[in-house]
Amino acid sequence: MGSRSFGPRGLPPFIKAMLIANVVMFVAQLASPGMTRLLGLSPALFFRDFPNLLYQPITYMFLHGGIGHIFFNMFALWMFGTEIEYTWSSRRFGKFYILAGLSGAILTLIVKSGQVAPMIGASAAVYGVLIAYWMMFPQRTLYIYFMFPVKVKWAIPGMMIIGFLFSGGHVAHWAHLGGAIFALVYMKMDFRLSFLTRWLKGLRYKRQSAKLEKNRQKAEDVMKRVDSILDKINDVGIENLSKSERKFLEEASSRLSEKNIKD
């Protein structure tokens, strides 16, 4: 009997870098609490001091509000992001992760422009990862509390709904929504682009095939006429060929010579 493993195997490069970076920044926060106000995303301060705080939509996702906050974000990133990174590539997954986090920041800036309290956490980026996993592996089974098997297509939406309903008033729901919307659009566009790429390749193949068939038919027509002229030479002699037949024979011979040289 095969053994059941806990979580994904291995630690891909980008996720490893994110785990290290987030832990280092969390330790730095504990040593210097002022980092939260400096590097967290405060929409009111962002617009008031624009463009001096343009770094905040990036730096906010490397800060966390406590052990539980960083643990669950990094656990979800490892649990659901590992297979995506191995499936795509570290570079592509890294761009996706950062853009999901940025999308959460942008939506928060739009909707909560007057908010003074700094927003921190990698949750927007992690929500993007959850949506990507949900769309890529909907039939996978998750074991809730390590006991209850639930399909990914039901488990992840359920986790998000529970998180929204019971997370309290100090949670950046707009950031979560921004990360999730970005992932949904990204995945839909990726599927459409893949379909478009396949369609374009098929169209190009059909055009090339049609061109080859046209050239083949043209070559056959030329050889048929050449054979007809050669038969006439055998019957009545070359001196009885018309000017157009002589010219055609010379052109066909020239084309055949050029093709042999190229080959």
Side-chain angles (χ1 to χ4, degrees), residues 18 58 67 140 147 159 215 219 226 256 258:
M18 287 301 98
I58 290 288
I67 292 291
R140 295 282 177 84
M147 295 176 60
M159 290 162 54
N215 290 338
V226 168
L256 185 60
E258 289 178 1

Side-chain angles (χ1 to χ4, degrees), residues 39 41 44 53 56 58 69 87 116 158 179-180 222 226 231 240 259:
L39 301 180
L41 176 60
L53 303 178
Q56 286 188 349
I58 290 288
H69 192 199
T87 301
V116 177
V222 169
V226 168
D231 288 340
N240 291 310
K259 184 177 184 303

Side-chain angles (χ1 to χ4, degrees), residues 80-222:
F80 297 101
T82 296
E83 192 163 3
I84 301 175
E85 182 172 342
Y86 279 133
T87 301
W88 289 353
S89 72
S90 295
R91 183 176 181 180
R92 181 183 174 189
F93 179 75
K95 288 180 180 179
F96 172 84
Y97 178 87
I98 296 299
L99 288 173
L102 276 173
S103 298
I106 291 170
L107 187 58
T108 300
L109 288 170
I110 293 172
V111 178
K112 307 285 285 185
S113 59
Q115 177 179 310
V116 177
M119 178 181 72
I120 57 176
S123 300
V126 170
Y127 264 62
V129 172
L130 290 174
I131 291 294
Y133 193 91
W134 174 64
M135 295 183 69
M136 292 173 68
F137 310 108
Q139 299 304 320
R140 295 282 177 84
T141 300
L142 295 181
Y143 285 86
I144 308 300
Y145 300 115
F146 310 108
M147 295 176 60
F148 307 106
V150 182
K151 294 287 187 183
V152 165
K153 65 179 179 179
W154 304 117
I156 287 181
M159 290 162 54
M160 291 181 172
I161 293 171
I162 291 172
F164 175 75
L165 293 176
F166 301 102
S167 55
H170 298 287
V171 176
H173 294 300
W174 289 108
H176 298 174
L177 182 61
I181 290 174
F182 165 78
L184 188 64
V185 173
Y186 178 93
M187 297 299 292
K188 288 290 186 181
M189 287 300 295
D190 185 58
F191 292 151
R192 289 178 182 176
L193 288 175
S194 297
F195 172 79
L196 180 61
T197 300
R198 291 194 300 270
W199 180 80
L200 288 174
K201 286 182 178 178
L203 182 62
R204 184 171 60 181
Y205 175 78
K206 289 180 180 179
R207 287 180 176 176
Q208 289 176 343
S209 298
K211 185 177 180 181
L212 288 173
E213 178 60 25
K214 184 178 180 180
N215 290 338
R216 187 189 65 80
Q217 187 62 47
K218 186 176 180 181
E220 285 186 359
D221 293 341
V222 169

Side-chain angles (χ1 to χ4, degrees), residues 43-57:
L45 296 179
F46 178 86
F47 288 116
R48 190 191 72 184
D49 296 339
F50 188 85
N52 297 327
L53 303 178
L54 280 175
Y55 57 84
Q56 286 188 349

